Amino acid sequence: MGRVVHFEVHVDDMERAKSFYSEIFDWQFEDWSEYAGMPYFGVVTGGEDEPGINGALMQRKSAPPELNQALNGYACTMGVEDYDTVEGKILEHGGKVALPKYALSGMAWQGYYLDTEGNIFGVHQPDENAK
């Protein structure tokens, strides 16, 4: 099987992106630029005892995605404990709503956002009472 083991978020402004993701999701960063030969920061998204994967922020090498274009890639979704609080942080730190919060009936709350670099990501709060 080809299990996902790493993700990369392409960014225009590395410091802005690091600030955005650390403020909202408490991600930690490690400078791997020397190995990559470009601005490249490893992302630690949580402890080894938690489900999920780590990834990286890398310097974008082409034009950023156009607003309202079809998604061309994978959208990463972050699991959260309090959807509304996280949404507030996203908007406070320059993110925008791409697809508003909706119920996955009997399972969870889901929604999609644009980060400060124009990338789409999801937010998911498990809740069996979601309707």
Side-chain angles (χ1 to χ4, degrees):
M1 288 191 179
R3 186 176 173 113
V4 177
V5 296
H6 182 79
F7 65 85
E8 291 176 332
V9 179
H10 294 237
V11 305
D12 294 316
D13 185 321
M14 188 65 71
E15 292 307 311
R16 179 177 63 199
K18 285 169 49 181
S19 176
F20 180 81
Y21 284 105
S22 68
E23 290 292 330
I24 295 163
F25 298 113
D26 200 28
W27 288 0
Q28 305 298 310
F29 301 94
E30 301 170 353
D31 190 348
W32 297 344
S33 302
E34 178 181 338
Y35 307 109
M38 69 170 129
Y40 194 95
F41 283 79
V43 174
V44 178
T45 63
E48 292 296 321
D49 59 334
E50 300 175 77
I53 63 172
N54 295 323
L57 301 181
M58 69 178 288
Q59 190 66 50
R60 191 184 313 277
K61 293 186 172 246
S62 62
E66 294 289 326
L67 191 58
N68 296 320
Q69 77 179 32
L71 182 63
N72 182 15
Y74 298 108
C76 293
T77 296
M78 274 56 85
V80 301
E81 291 181 19
D82 183 340
Y83 189 106
D84 295 330
T85 297
V86 170
E87 180 181 63
K89 287 182 180 181
I90 291 167
L91 299 175
E92 175 184 339
H93 292 283
K96 297 178 180 157
V97 174
L99 183 61
K101 176 181 175 181
Y102 60 93
L104 296 169
S105 191
M107 185 174 110
W109 295 103
Q110 181 76 31
Y112 292 88
Y113 298 85
L114 294 168
D115 70 8
T116 55
E117 311 308 298
N119 300 303
I120 293 178
F121 65 94
V123 173
H124 180 94
Q125 177 192 329
D127 182 353
E128 61 187 29
N129 296 313
K131 293 184 191 274

